[in-house]
Amino acid sequence: MDLLELLKQRKSVRDFLDRPVERKKIMTCLEAARVAPSACNSQPWKFIVVDDRELKDKLCAGAFNGIYSINSFCKTAPVLVVVVSEKSRFLARIGGLFRGTKYYLIDIGIACEHFVLQAEDLGLGTCWIGWFNEGAVKSLLGVPESKKIDILIALGYYDKDKIRSTHDREPLENITTFNSY
Ligand SMILES: Cc1cc2nc3c(=O)[nH]c(=O)nc-3n(C[C@H](O)[C@H](O)[C@H](O)COP(=O)(O)O)c2cc1C
């Protein structure tokens, strides 16, 4: 598919079909994430794929309770990908401190978007999830307390007819200038 067409087709999916996702497709999405660029080529990420139904249900119960329950729609997703933010290379960390820029978050963002776009191309829907109980996720999956989990990705098949056709975005003229602010 034409890239721009794919970018426009992708929308957040919050209602997934009860259909398992093939491991091969998940691996292709992970491969897309793996080749993402990152500051100083730090690759500051680890992906924990939760596709075991029982474990995923437990994960959802812990991650999306109380103030996080707005995201309990994730229960319908057959797969949850937990993205662990790993330490960047020394140079990226020092550069980031100097610049006041969290390069690792930019890196994670790119890798996750690679994942999400590859998924869309394979006919799979996704939703980025930034609002969840991080402690519950860590303890259930044995992620050390010292690590940071900034984002999860819900993944699964979806009904394309139920997805709105347009993006709600600012027009280009509101966000773009040439040659000065
Ligand atoms: C970093 C990040 C965190 C997000 N967290 C959530 C979330 O916790 N729950 C949710 O339903 N959507 C979440 N989203 C999805 C956004 O709400 C969504 O991308 C945005 O409204 C634009 O809609 P679209 O993805 O359909 O184009 C998140 C997106 C990003 C990029």
Side-chain angles (χ1 to χ4, degrees), residues 7-14 64 68 70-71 73-74 109 113 116 126-132 150-152 163-164 166-169:
L7 297 174
K8 288 185 176 177
Q9 180 183 290
R10 186 221 55 84
K11 313 276 183 332
S12 293
V13 172
R14 297 187 177 87
F64 308 122
Y68 303 104
I70 192 168
N71 280 330
F73 68 85
C74 289
E113 191 61 6
V116 157
T126 54
C127 190
W128 287 69
I129 302 294
W131 185 244
F132 59 92
D150 292 295
I151 207 81
L152 314 176
I163 301 293
R164 68 189 186 288
T166 53
H167 271 126
D168 176 22
R169 296 291 191 273

mmCIF file of all heavy atoms in Angstrom, residues 7-14 64 68 70-71 73-74 109 113 116 126-132 150-152 163-164 166-169, ligand 1:
data_model
loop_
_atom_site.group_PDB
_atom_site.id
_atom_site.type_symbol
_atom_site.label_atom_id
_atom_site.label_comp_id
_atom_site.label_asym_id
_atom_site.label_seq_id
_atom_site.Cartn_x
_atom_site.Cartn_y
_atom_site.Cartn_z
ATOM 1 N N LEU A 7 -0.785 5.467 6.326
ATOM 2 C CA LEU A 7 -0.756 6.380 7.475
ATOM 3 C C LEU A 7 -2.152 6.934 7.748
ATOM 4 O O LEU A 7 -2.558 7.099 8.897
ATOM 5 C CB LEU A 7 0.209 7.546 7.215
ATOM 6 C CG LEU A 7 1.681 7.184 7.039
ATOM 7 C CD1 LEU A 7 2.496 8.407 6.646
ATOM 8 C CD2 LEU A 7 2.248 6.578 8.305
ATOM 9 N N LYS A 8 -2.878 7.195 6.669
ATOM 10 C CA LYS A 8 -4.228 7.750 6.833
ATOM 11 C C LYS A 8 -5.238 6.683 7.239
ATOM 12 O O LYS A 8 -6.224 6.968 7.899
ATOM 13 C CB LYS A 8 -4.666 8.454 5.546
ATOM 14 C CG LYS A 8 -3.917 9.768 5.350
ATOM 15 C CD LYS A 8 -4.420 10.543 4.157
ATOM 16 C CE LYS A 8 -3.693 11.890 4.087
ATOM 17 N NZ LYS A 8 -4.065 12.678 2.908
ATOM 18 N N GLN A 9 -4.953 5.463 6.839
ATOM 19 C CA GLN A 9 -5.865 4.362 7.195
ATOM 20 C C GLN A 9 -5.768 4.013 8.686
ATOM 21 O O GLN A 9 -6.747 3.675 9.324
ATOM 22 C CB GLN A 9 -5.518 3.126 6.364
ATOM 23 C CG GLN A 9 -6.426 1.932 6.663
ATOM 24 C CD GLN A 9 -6.022 0.705 5.893
ATOM 25 O OE1 GLN A 9 -6.189 0.668 4.682
ATOM 26 N NE2 GLN A 9 -5.497 -0.285 6.579
ATOM 27 N N ARG A 10 -4.556 4.102 9.248
ATOM 28 C CA ARG A 10 -4.372 3.715 10.648
ATOM 29 C C ARG A 10 -5.146 4.618 11.602
ATOM 30 O O ARG A 10 -5.031 5.821 11.547
ATOM 31 C CB ARG A 10 -2.883 3.758 11.032
ATOM 32 C CG ARG A 10 -2.614 3.219 12.444
ATOM 33 C CD ARG A 10 -1.605 4.043 13.201
ATOM 34 N NE ARG A 10 -1.969 5.440 13.261
ATOM 35 C CZ ARG A 10 -2.800 5.960 14.169
ATOM 36 N NH1 ARG A 10 -3.347 5.205 15.101
ATOM 37 N NH2 ARG A 10 -3.106 7.259 14.143
ATOM 38 N N LYS A 11 -5.949 4.005 12.435
ATOM 39 C CA LYS A 11 -6.657 4.731 13.494
ATOM 40 C C LYS A 11 -6.519 3.898 14.755
ATOM 41 O O LYS A 11 -6.295 2.695 14.687
ATOM 42 C CB LYS A 11 -8.156 4.854 13.182
ATOM 43 C CG LYS A 11 -8.529 5.292 11.782
ATOM 44 C CD LYS A 11 -8.505 6.770 11.620
ATOM 45 C CE LYS A 11 -8.929 7.272 10.261
ATOM 46 N NZ LYS A 11 -8.740 6.435 9.086
ATOM 47 N N SER A 12 -6.670 4.523 15.897
ATOM 48 C CA SER A 12 -6.649 3.751 17.134
ATOM 49 C C SER A 12 -7.845 2.812 17.162
ATOM 50 O O SER A 12 -8.974 3.222 16.871
ATOM 51 C CB SER A 12 -6.708 4.679 18.344
ATOM 52 O OG SER A 12 -5.528 5.426 18.426
ATOM 53 N N VAL A 13 -7.586 1.570 17.509
ATOM 54 C CA VAL A 13 -8.651 0.566 17.598
ATOM 55 C C VAL A 13 -8.917 0.289 19.082
ATOM 56 O O VAL A 13 -7.992 0.027 19.850
ATOM 57 C CB VAL A 13 -8.228 -0.731 16.869
ATOM 58 C CG1 VAL A 13 -9.235 -1.845 17.108
ATOM 59 C CG2 VAL A 13 -8.068 -0.464 15.375
ATOM 60 N N ARG A 14 -10.188 0.387 19.467
ATOM 61 C CA ARG A 14 -10.521 0.164 20.876
ATOM 62 C C ARG A 14 -11.564 -0.930 21.052
ATOM 63 O O ARG A 14 -12.161 -1.082 22.104
ATOM 64 C CB ARG A 14 -10.984 1.481 21.517
ATOM 65 C CG ARG A 14 -9.877 2.536 21.522
ATOM 66 C CD ARG A 14 -10.229 3.792 22.298
ATOM 67 N NE ARG A 14 -9.113 4.714 22.308
ATOM 68 C CZ ARG A 14 -8.861 5.631 21.368
ATOM 69 N NH1 ARG A 14 -9.680 5.737 20.330
ATOM 70 N NH2 ARG A 14 -7.807 6.424 21.464
ATOM 71 N N PHE A 64 -5.453 -1.966 34.323
ATOM 72 C CA PHE A 64 -6.521 -1.030 33.978
ATOM 73 C C PHE A 64 -7.626 -0.990 35.036
ATOM 74 O O PHE A 64 -8.805 -0.946 34.703
ATOM 75 C CB PHE A 64 -7.105 -1.397 32.604
ATOM 76 C CG PHE A 64 -6.053 -1.528 31.533
ATOM 77 C CD1 PHE A 64 -5.898 -2.709 30.822
ATOM 78 C CD2 PHE A 64 -5.192 -0.477 31.269
ATOM 79 C CE1 PHE A 64 -4.915 -2.831 29.846
ATOM 80 C CE2 PHE A 64 -4.203 -0.590 30.301
ATOM 81 C CZ PHE A 64 -4.058 -1.763 29.593
ATOM 82 N N TYR A 68 -7.334 3.895 36.099
ATOM 83 C CA TYR A 68 -6.908 3.503 34.742
ATOM 84 C C TYR A 68 -7.991 2.748 33.976
ATOM 85 O O TYR A 68 -7.756 2.263 32.873
ATOM 86 C CB TYR A 68 -5.641 2.631 34.822
ATOM 87 C CG TYR A 68 -4.506 3.321 35.549
ATOM 88 C CD1 TYR A 68 -4.173 2.967 36.850
ATOM 89 C CD2 TYR A 68 -3.785 4.334 34.938
ATOM 90 C CE1 TYR A 68 -3.137 3.613 37.537
ATOM 91 C CE2 TYR A 68 -2.753 4.986 35.604
ATOM 92 C CZ TYR A 68 -2.437 4.617 36.907
ATOM 93 O OH TYR A 68 -1.429 5.261 37.565
ATOM 94 N N ILE A 70 -10.440 3.505 32.328
ATOM 95 C CA ILE A 70 -10.862 4.019 31.012
ATOM 96 C C ILE A 70 -10.277 3.163 29.878
ATOM 97 O O ILE A 70 -10.848 3.078 28.794
ATOM 98 C CB ILE A 70 -10.471 5.501 30.849
ATOM 99 C CG1 ILE A 70 -11.161 6.109 29.633
ATOM 100 C CG2 ILE A 70 -8.966 5.696 30.776
ATOM 101 C CD1 ILE A 70 -11.091 7.611 29.538
ATOM 102 N N ASN A 71 -9.153 2.513 30.174
ATOM 103 C CA ASN A 71 -8.509 1.682 29.148
ATOM 104 C C ASN A 71 -8.871 0.194 29.255
ATOM 105 O O ASN A 71 -8.203 -0.647 28.643
ATOM 106 C CB ASN A 71 -6.989 1.854 29.215
ATOM 107 C CG ASN A 71 -6.541 3.135 28.533
ATOM 108 O OD1 ASN A 71 -7.176 3.591 27.586
ATOM 109 N ND2 ASN A 71 -5.470 3.731 29.019
ATOM 110 N N PHE A 73 -10.974 -1.335 27.833
ATOM 111 C CA PHE A 73 -11.301 -1.903 26.514
ATOM 112 C C PHE A 73 -10.184 -2.826 26.019
ATOM 113 O O PHE A 73 -10.394 -3.670 25.152
ATOM 114 C CB PHE A 73 -11.555 -0.791 25.477
ATOM 115 C CG PHE A 73 -10.327 0.002 25.121
ATOM 116 C CD1 PHE A 73 -9.456 -0.447 24.144
ATOM 117 C CD2 PHE A 73 -10.033 1.187 25.771
ATOM 118 C CE1 PHE A 73 -8.312 0.277 23.817
ATOM 119 C CE2 PHE A 73 -8.899 1.922 25.456
ATOM 120 C CZ PHE A 73 -8.026 1.456 24.473
ATOM 121 N N CYS A 74 -8.998 -2.651 26.588
ATOM 122 C CA CYS A 74 -7.858 -3.497 26.177
ATOM 123 C C CYS A 74 -8.120 -4.977 26.430
ATOM 124 O O CYS A 74 -7.466 -5.838 25.835
ATOM 125 C CB CYS A 74 -6.584 -3.080 26.913
ATOM 126 S SG CYS A 74 -5.956 -1.485 26.351
ATOM 127 N N GLY A 109 9.154 6.071 20.784
ATOM 128 C CA GLY A 109 8.022 6.498 19.964
ATOM 129 C C GLY A 109 8.168 6.034 18.519
ATOM 130 O O GLY A 109 7.211 5.543 17.922
ATOM 131 N N GLU A 113 5.854 3.277 16.630
ATOM 132 C CA GLU A 113 5.091 3.642 15.431
ATOM 133 C C GLU A 113 5.438 2.706 14.271
ATOM 134 O O GLU A 113 4.571 2.353 13.466
ATOM 135 C CB GLU A 113 5.312 5.116 15.074
ATOM 136 C CG GLU A 113 4.359 5.655 14.017
ATOM 137 C CD GLU A 113 2.864 5.629 14.386
ATOM 138 O OE1 GLU A 113 2.507 5.291 15.523
ATOM 139 O OE2 GLU A 113 2.048 5.935 13.499
ATOM 140 N N VAL A 116 3.324 -0.284 14.941
ATOM 141 C CA VAL A 116 1.908 -0.013 14.694
ATOM 142 C C VAL A 116 1.600 0.042 13.193
ATOM 143 O O VAL A 116 0.583 -0.487 12.725
ATOM 144 C CB VAL A 116 1.586 1.340 15.404
ATOM 145 C CG1 VAL A 116 0.391 2.028 14.821
ATOM 146 C CG2 VAL A 116 1.416 1.120 16.904
ATOM 147 N N THR A 126 -4.302 -1.495 16.240
ATOM 148 C CA THR A 126 -3.503 -1.235 17.443
ATOM 149 C C THR A 126 -4.075 -0.036 18.184
ATOM 150 O O THR A 126 -4.799 0.782 17.618
ATOM 151 C CB THR A 126 -2.040 -0.876 17.083
ATOM 152 O OG1 THR A 126 -2.059 0.202 16.146
ATOM 153 C CG2 THR A 126 -1.293 -2.059 16.498
ATOM 154 N N CYS A 127 -3.701 0.061 19.446
ATOM 155 C CA CYS A 127 -3.916 1.313 20.176
ATOM 156 C C CYS A 127 -2.725 1.531 21.104
ATOM 157 O O CYS A 127 -2.335 0.618 21.845
ATOM 158 C CB CYS A 127 -5.220 1.272 20.990
ATOM 159 S SG CYS A 127 -5.659 2.900 21.658
ATOM 160 N N TRP A 128 -2.133 2.682 21.007
ATOM 161 C CA TRP A 128 -1.088 3.064 21.952
ATOM 162 C C TRP A 128 -1.752 3.249 23.313
ATOM 163 O O TRP A 128 -2.811 3.868 23.405
ATOM 164 C CB TRP A 128 -0.517 4.427 21.575
ATOM 165 C CG TRP A 128 0.359 4.531 20.404
ATOM 166 C CD1 TRP A 128 0.024 4.383 19.099
ATOM 167 C CD2 TRP A 128 1.751 4.879 20.424
ATOM 168 N NE1 TRP A 128 1.120 4.627 18.310
ATOM 169 C CE2 TRP A 128 2.185 4.939 19.095
ATOM 170 C CE3 TRP A 128 2.661 5.167 21.453
ATOM 171 C CZ2 TRP A 128 3.492 5.255 18.751
ATOM 172 C CZ3 TRP A 128 3.958 5.485 21.121
ATOM 173 C CH2 TRP A 128 4.372 5.520 19.779
ATOM 174 N N ILE A 129 -1.114 2.763 24.369
ATOM 175 C CA ILE A 129 -1.680 2.908 25.710
ATOM 176 C C ILE A 129 -0.619 3.507 26.643
ATOM 177 O O ILE A 129 0.368 2.852 26.985
ATOM 178 C CB ILE A 129 -2.154 1.536 26.268
ATOM 179 C CG1 ILE A 129 -3.193 0.887 25.338
ATOM 180 C CG2 ILE A 129 -2.695 1.691 27.692
ATOM 181 C CD1 ILE A 129 -4.502 1.619 25.224
ATOM 182 N N GLY A 130 -0.875 4.746 27.039
ATOM 183 C CA GLY A 130 0.073 5.404 27.935
ATOM 184 C C GLY A 130 -0.442 5.549 29.352
ATOM 185 O O GLY A 130 0.278 5.977 30.250
ATOM 186 N N TRP A 131 -1.703 5.179 29.572
ATOM 187 C CA TRP A 131 -2.356 5.382 30.865
ATOM 188 C C TRP A 131 -2.673 4.014 31.478
ATOM 189 O O TRP A 131 -3.630 3.354 31.078
ATOM 190 C CB TRP A 131 -3.639 6.214 30.652
ATOM 191 C CG TRP A 131 -4.370 6.608 31.884
ATOM 192 C CD1 TRP A 131 -5.633 6.219 32.237
ATOM 193 C CD2 TRP A 131 -3.917 7.469 32.929
ATOM 194 N NE1 TRP A 131 -5.984 6.769 33.434
ATOM 195 C CE2 TRP A 131 -4.951 7.553 33.878
ATOM 196 C CE3 TRP A 131 -2.729 8.175 33.161
ATOM 197 C CZ2 TRP A 131 -4.835 8.311 35.043
ATOM 198 C CZ3 TRP A 131 -2.625 8.930 34.323
ATOM 199 C CH2 TRP A 131 -3.668 8.998 35.234
ATOM 200 N N PHE A 132 -1.806 3.564 32.383
ATOM 201 C CA PHE A 132 -1.950 2.221 32.962
ATOM 202 C C PHE A 132 -1.175 2.144 34.267
ATOM 203 O O PHE A 132 -0.297 2.982 34.541
ATOM 204 C CB PHE A 132 -1.439 1.153 31.973
ATOM 205 C CG PHE A 132 0.015 1.337 31.599
ATOM 206 C CD1 PHE A 132 1.033 0.709 32.308
ATOM 207 C CD2 PHE A 132 0.378 2.169 30.546
ATOM 208 C CE1 PHE A 132 2.369 0.910 31.972
ATOM 209 C CE2 PHE A 132 1.706 2.368 30.197
ATOM 210 C CZ PHE A 132 2.707 1.739 30.920
ATOM 211 N N ASP A 150 6.909 2.967 29.712
ATOM 212 C CA ASP A 150 6.204 4.187 29.335
ATOM 213 C C ASP A 150 4.985 3.920 28.470
ATOM 214 O O ASP A 150 4.075 4.741 28.427
ATOM 215 C CB ASP A 150 7.158 5.139 28.592
ATOM 216 C CG ASP A 150 8.240 5.678 29.503
ATOM 217 O OD1 ASP A 150 7.886 6.408 30.448
ATOM 218 O OD2 ASP A 150 9.423 5.350 29.305
ATOM 219 N N ILE A 151 5.009 2.785 27.769
ATOM 220 C CA ILE A 151 3.928 2.587 26.795
ATOM 221 C C ILE A 151 3.591 1.097 26.607
ATOM 222 O O ILE A 151 4.469 0.238 26.726
ATOM 223 C CB ILE A 151 4.301 3.255 25.438
ATOM 224 C CG1 ILE A 151 3.069 3.666 24.635
ATOM 225 C CG2 ILE A 151 5.236 2.400 24.609
ATOM 226 C CD1 ILE A 151 2.451 4.956 25.068
ATOM 227 N N LEU A 152 2.338 0.846 26.338
ATOM 228 C CA LEU A 152 1.871 -0.494 25.949
ATOM 229 C C LEU A 152 1.226 -0.341 24.572
ATOM 230 O O LEU A 152 0.790 0.757 24.197
ATOM 231 C CB LEU A 152 0.808 -1.031 26.906
ATOM 232 C CG LEU A 152 1.008 -0.911 28.416
ATOM 233 C CD1 LEU A 152 -0.241 -1.434 29.131
ATOM 234 C CD2 LEU A 152 2.225 -1.700 28.852
ATOM 235 N N ILE A 163 -14.570 1.470 12.123
ATOM 236 C CA ILE A 163 -13.576 2.521 12.346
ATOM 237 C C ILE A 163 -13.952 3.754 11.542
ATOM 238 O O ILE A 163 -14.295 3.656 10.365
ATOM 239 C CB ILE A 163 -12.168 2.016 11.934
ATOM 240 C CG1 ILE A 163 -11.785 0.774 12.754
ATOM 241 C CG2 ILE A 163 -11.116 3.108 12.055
ATOM 242 C CD1 ILE A 163 -11.569 1.006 14.226
ATOM 243 N N ARG A 164 -13.892 4.925 12.192
ATOM 244 C CA ARG A 164 -14.234 6.162 11.471
ATOM 245 C C ARG A 164 -13.268 6.364 10.305
ATOM 246 O O ARG A 164 -12.121 5.924 10.354
ATOM 247 C CB ARG A 164 -14.230 7.363 12.420
ATOM 248 C CG ARG A 164 -12.866 7.729 12.923
ATOM 249 C CD ARG A 164 -12.898 8.782 14.021
ATOM 250 N NE ARG A 164 -11.532 9.180 14.336
ATOM 251 C CZ ARG A 164 -10.659 8.430 14.989
ATOM 252 N NH1 ARG A 164 -11.015 7.222 15.409
ATOM 253 N NH2 ARG A 164 -9.436 8.858 15.220
ATOM 254 N N THR A 166 -12.190 9.284 8.928
ATOM 255 C CA THR A 166 -11.308 10.461 8.867
ATOM 256 C C THR A 166 -10.499 10.624 10.147
ATOM 257 O O THR A 166 -10.892 10.150 11.215
ATOM 258 C CB THR A 166 -12.123 11.752 8.662
ATOM 259 O OG1 THR A 166 -13.123 11.791 9.676
ATOM 260 C CG2 THR A 166 -12.735 11.804 7.288
ATOM 261 N N HIS A 167 -9.386 11.314 10.025
ATOM 262 C CA HIS A 167 -8.565 11.683 11.165
ATOM 263 C C HIS A 167 -8.991 13.064 11.634
ATOM 264 O O HIS A 167 -9.284 13.931 10.820
ATOM 265 C CB HIS A 167 -7.086 11.769 10.737
ATOM 266 C CG HIS A 167 -6.348 10.502 10.857
ATOM 267 N ND1 HIS A 167 -5.656 9.943 9.805
ATOM 268 C CD2 HIS A 167 -6.137 9.678 11.909
ATOM 269 C CE1 HIS A 167 -5.086 8.828 10.203
ATOM 270 N NE2 HIS A 167 -5.354 8.647 11.473
ATOM 271 N N ASP A 168 -9.014 13.285 12.935
ATOM 272 C CA ASP A 168 -9.294 14.612 13.461
ATOM 273 C C ASP A 168 -7.947 15.303 13.673
ATOM 274 O O ASP A 168 -7.293 15.089 14.682
ATOM 275 C CB ASP A 168 -10.069 14.452 14.784
ATOM 276 C CG ASP A 168 -10.308 15.793 15.442
ATOM 277 O OD1 ASP A 168 -10.266 16.808 14.741
ATOM 278 O OD2 ASP A 168 -10.527 15.808 16.671
ATOM 279 N N ARG A 169 -7.529 16.074 12.696
ATOM 280 C CA ARG A 169 -6.202 16.696 12.775
ATOM 281 C C ARG A 169 -6.251 18.152 12.352
ATOM 282 O O ARG A 169 -7.109 18.561 11.564
ATOM 283 C CB ARG A 169 -5.213 15.965 11.834
ATOM 284 C CG ARG A 169 -4.921 14.523 12.185
ATOM 285 C CD ARG A 169 -4.113 14.393 13.465
ATOM 286 N NE ARG A 169 -3.628 13.041 13.640
ATOM 287 C CZ ARG A 169 -4.286 12.040 14.234
ATOM 288 N NH1 ARG A 169 -5.502 12.247 14.723
ATOM 289 N NH2 ARG A 169 -3.748 10.841 14.336
HETATM 290 C C1 LIG B 1 1.871 8.278 23.537
HETATM 291 C C2 LIG B 1 0.419 7.926 23.326
HETATM 292 C C3 LIG B 1 -0.344 7.487 24.392
HETATM 293 C C4 LIG B 1 -1.684 7.126 24.202
HETATM 294 N N1 LIG B 1 -2.395 6.610 25.250
HETATM 295 C C5 LIG B 1 -3.661 6.213 25.037
HETATM 296 C C6 LIG B 1 -4.400 5.600 26.100
HETATM 297 O O1 LIG B 1 -3.908 5.411 27.211
HETATM 298 N N2 LIG B 1 -5.670 5.189 25.824
HETATM 299 C C7 LIG B 1 -6.256 5.361 24.596
HETATM 300 O O2 LIG B 1 -7.404 4.954 24.421
HETATM 301 N N3 LIG B 1 -5.570 5.930 23.571
HETATM 302 C C8 LIG B 1 -4.293 6.348 23.762
HETATM 303 N N4 LIG B 1 -3.587 6.888 22.728
HETATM 304 C C9 LIG B 1 -4.222 7.034 21.393
HETATM 305 C C10 LIG B 1 -4.591 8.483 21.081
HETATM 306 O O3 LIG B 1 -5.690 8.870 21.851
HETATM 307 C C11 LIG B 1 -4.882 8.594 19.581
HETATM 308 O O4 LIG B 1 -3.740 8.236 18.849
HETATM 309 C C12 LIG B 1 -5.305 9.996 19.149
HETATM 310 O O5 LIG B 1 -6.519 10.361 19.765
HETATM 311 C C13 LIG B 1 -5.478 10.101 17.628
HETATM 312 O O6 LIG B 1 -6.401 9.146 17.155
HETATM 313 P P1 LIG B 1 -6.000 8.039 16.102
HETATM 314 O O7 LIG B 1 -4.897 7.200 16.703
HETATM 315 O O8 LIG B 1 -7.232 7.230 15.866
HETATM 316 O O9 LIG B 1 -5.530 8.720 14.870
HETATM 317 C C14 LIG B 1 -2.272 7.256 22.914
HETATM 318 C C15 LIG B 1 -1.477 7.700 21.834
HETATM 319 C C16 LIG B 1 -0.162 8.013 22.034
HETATM 320 C C17 LIG B 1 0.668 8.436 20.842
#
